[in-house]
């Protein structure tokens, strides 16, 4: 059994405001639990002294923004839970000092765009982004994620996946689920870089066409689910020659005419 180090637990206590001197005498803390504390404001560099902190639970509070220096100094942090807050914006490079972080939960917030937000998280293994308002995946969304093996994007408003959206990071999982979103458009080369993915689920979206080379780079793909979309059009190279491992393709409940 793993023994938890020095811990501060203020769960369900009305904290409201965190000042940049709040933890000055608590440098040895390994774990902080500030769940359901009604926190609305966190000053810049409030956690700068917490060099030994490994696990930080900040879920179910009321702050709306993560600024560039909100989390500055948490160099040893491994787990950060920001689930179920009211976060609308995370400024670029806000996580750049969290280079030891392996688990990040941002589920249940109001995030729309994540471009340049996740830069610096080179050891991040698990990323929860479910139940937000993310509307597009670009080639900047996941930039810098070199160790990711678990990604949860369900219940977002994603309508478009741009070219090379997954090329700028190394996704190590064999499964990628993008079902039950609102995807309308997949650009050519959208999935380039996902050479280890064996199962891709794009079912229950609004995709209307499969462009040439949409699935280029999915060299290990065995199962592709495109059922329950609005697909009317496919082209000669919609399923290009790199899909030489494909064993199962689901296209039922679309608008194709043969």
């Amino acid at each position: 059994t793993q023994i938890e180090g020095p811990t501060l637990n203020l769960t369900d206590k009305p904290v409201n405001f965190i000042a940049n001197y709040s933890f000055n005498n608590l440098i040895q803390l390994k774990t902080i639990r500030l769940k359901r504390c009604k926190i609305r404001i966190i000053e810049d560099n409030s956690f700068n002294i917490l060099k030994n902190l490994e696990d930080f639970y900040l879920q179910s509070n009321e702050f709306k923004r993560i600024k560039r220096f909100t989390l500055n100094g948490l160099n040893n942090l491994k787990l950060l839970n920001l689930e179920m807050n009211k976060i609308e914006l995370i400024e670029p490079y806000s996580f750049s000092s969290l280079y030891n972080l392996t688990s990040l939960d941002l589920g249940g917030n109001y995030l729309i765009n994540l471009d340049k937000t996740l830069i610096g998280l080179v050891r991040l293994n698990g990323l929860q982004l479910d139940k937000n308002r993310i509307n597009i995946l670009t080639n900047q969304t996941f930039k810098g994620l070199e160790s990711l093996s678990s990604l949860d994007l369900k219940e977002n408003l994603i309508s478009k996946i741009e070219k090379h959206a997954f090329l700028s990071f190394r996704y190590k999982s064999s499964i990628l689920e993008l079902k039950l979103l609102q995807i309308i458009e997949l650009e050519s080369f959208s999935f380039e870089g996902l050479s280890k993915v064996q199962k891709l689920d794009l079912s229950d979206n609004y995709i209307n066409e499969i462009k040439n080379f949409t699935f280029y780079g999915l060299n290990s793909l065995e199962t592709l689910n495109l059922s329950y979309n609005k697909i009317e059009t496919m082209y000669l190279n919609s399923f290009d020659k790199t899909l030489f491992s494909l064993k199962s393709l689901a296209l039922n409940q679309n608008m194709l005419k043969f």
Side-chain angles (χ1 to χ4, degrees):
T1 304
Q2 187 175 0
I3 299 174
E4 193 175 67
T7 300
L8 175 65
N9 189 352
L10 294 174
T11 296
D12 293 317
K13 305 293 183 183
V15 175
N16 298 315
F17 174 80
I18 297 179
N20 58 17
Y21 53 81
S22 297
F23 298 96
N24 280 359
N25 298 316
L26 299 170
I27 192 172
Q28 298 302 321
L29 284 175
K30 294 280 189 180
T31 303
I32 295 178
R33 300 180 187 276
L34 295 173
K35 184 178 179 180
R36 297 190 301 271
C37 291
K38 299 182 180 179
I39 298 168
R40 295 185 177 181
I41 298 173
I42 303 174
E43 285 191 343
D44 286 353
N45 298 304
S46 290
F47 312 119
N48 195 42
I49 199 169
L50 299 171
K51 303 297 184 184
N52 296 301
L53 194 68
E54 295 182 359
D55 299 324
F56 201 174
Y57 299 89
L58 269 166
Q59 66 265 49
S60 301
N61 283 289
E62 299 177 7
F63 50 92
K64 297 181 179 181
R65 190 183 188 113
I66 302 291
K67 295 182 180 179
R68 172 68 178 82
F69 296 105
T70 298
L71 301 167
N72 192 42
L74 295 173
N75 301 338
N76 202 41
L77 199 66
K78 294 178 174 60
L79 181 151
L80 178 59
N81 193 328
L82 295 167
E83 180 187 18
M84 299 297 293
N85 280 286
K86 298 181 179 180
I87 303 171
E88 299 172 343
L89 175 66
I90 301 175
E91 292 183 2
Y93 307 102
S94 292
F95 297 124
S96 60
S97 65
L98 308 184
Y99 41 78
N100 282 307
L101 198 70
T102 59
S103 178
L104 175 60
D105 193 337
L106 287 164
N109 282 288
Y110 300 99
L111 294 166
I112 296 174
N113 191 308
L114 290 173
D115 283 7
K116 298 183 180 179
T117 295
L118 304 169
I119 289 175
L121 298 176
V122 294
R123 291 184 174 88
L124 193 68
N125 181 268
L127 176 60
Q128 284 72 48
L129 291 167
D130 56 299
K131 300 174 185 174
N132 275 279
R133 298 177 180 177
I134 301 167
N135 58 19
I136 189 170
L137 300 182
T138 76
N139 63 1
Q140 298 292 315
T141 303
F142 302 114
K143 189 173 183 179
L145 301 181
E146 298 179 6
S147 305
L148 200 66
S149 62
S150 176
L151 174 63
D152 188 348
L153 283 163
K154 67 176 178 288
E155 295 186 51
N156 273 283
L157 304 175
I158 298 168
S159 61
K160 184 177 182 180
I161 299 178
E162 289 190 352
K163 179 179 179 180
H164 296 155
F166 297 97
L167 187 60
S168 60
F169 78 109
R170 300 172 188 171
Y171 186 60
K172 296 183 177 181
S173 178
S174 62
I175 299 173
L176 180 60
E177 292 197 2
L178 297 171
K179 63 181 178 181
L180 291 167
L181 299 171
Q182 297 190 27
I183 301 171
I184 298 172
E185 183 178 2
L186 299 173
E187 289 193 355
S188 300
F189 305 99
S190 287
F191 301 102
E192 188 175 2
L194 298 177
S195 60
K196 295 186 178 181
V197 170
Q198 296 176 358
K199 179 180 178 180
L200 175 59
D201 192 344
L202 285 158
S203 60
D204 292 282
N205 282 290
Y206 299 92
I207 302 165
N208 53 30
E209 69 172 338
I210 304 298
K211 298 178 180 179
N212 285 328
F213 305 109
T214 294
F215 302 108
Y216 181 86
L218 291 168
N219 301 338
S220 302
L221 193 67
E222 296 180 0
T223 303
L224 176 57
N225 191 347
L226 289 163
S227 59
Y228 293 93
N229 275 282
K230 306 289 184 182
I231 301 170
E232 293 182 292
T233 307
M234 295 191 299
Y235 302 94
L236 181 62
N237 290 308
S238 291
F239 303 98
D240 61 89
K241 295 178 181 179
T242 63
L243 298 178
F244 45 75
S245 297
L246 194 64
K247 297 176 182 177
S248 174
L249 172 61
L251 283 164
N252 54 297
Q253 301 300 317
N254 276 285
M255 303 176 71
L256 291 165
K257 296 179 181 179
F258 298 97

